[in-house]
Structures are given as C-alpha cells and as structure tokens.
Amino acid sequence: MRRVSNLAFNRDFPAVSGLSGIPRDNRVELARDLHNDFDPEAVGVWLEGFPSIPLGWLYRKDSNRDAVLRKLDEGGTLTGHVEVQKRSGKAIKVVIFWL
C-alpha cells in the first residue's frame, strides 16, 4: 500500500553530502537510525548514494511510523522517494513509500 509521510529534514545533510538540493529522480531507503541520540526508535531516510548520513527522519508522531517499525523488525526493507508537495501554500518535503 502506498504511504506518504512528512520528512523531518536533517539540516546537516547538505554540508556532509555536498548537495544543495534533492535530485528529482531520487531513491531512498527507510531504516532504523541506530545512531540517533535523541530517539531510540528513529526511522531514518537515506538517499541512495549517501549511506553515511540520513537525509531525514519520519516524525515521532507520524501515523505510519508503527507500521514501518514492524516491517523493519520483521526483516523487511522499505524503499521510496522524496517529493516536495504544496500544502496550504507551503512547500513540504514528503517521503512516498510502499508497505
């Protein structure tokens, strides 16, 4: 099933990756962020080709987060892409993925 979640963007990503923006034709992988000091259950979103730092994370109160954690704990992998969508006149980064 197709899911959409808001992306909590990692502000350190541009400096570490050298990218000034997210490529249009991007692929991401969702996985547990085992190195997140603030959230032991963090779901990181990694941009293909940049395994050293997450592009961002799913928000803690995201409605998809529990299902994503269950899938990851079962040994599943989740892939998708990031889009910028307009909501109420604001540009919002979202992760599109399939569960």
Side-chain angles (χ1 to χ4, degrees), residues 1-73:
M1 175 185 277
R2 182 178 185 266
R3 303 285 179 109
V4 178
S5 289
N6 290 343
L7 176 70
F9 185 72
N10 182 355
R11 287 181 258 169
D12 295 332
F13 182 81
V16 173
S17 68
L19 295 177
S20 60
I22 301 169
R24 276 188 191 251
D25 187 22
N26 66 71
R27 283 185 44 110
V28 296
E29 181 176 335
L30 285 73
R32 283 185 175 271
D33 183 355
L34 302 175
H35 303 290
N36 189 312
D37 296 331
F38 303 103
D39 182 4
E41 299 290 314
V43 176
V45 178
W46 277 267
L47 184 63
E48 186 174 66
F50 298 90
S52 65
I53 186 168
L55 175 64
W57 302 271
L58 297 188
Y59 283 94
R60 289 181 189 184
K61 294 183 179 182
D62 186 281
S63 62
N64 294 312
R65 185 170 146 148
D66 288 339
V68 167
L69 288 169
R70 280 194 302 276
K71 177 77 170 182
L72 294 173
D73 288 345

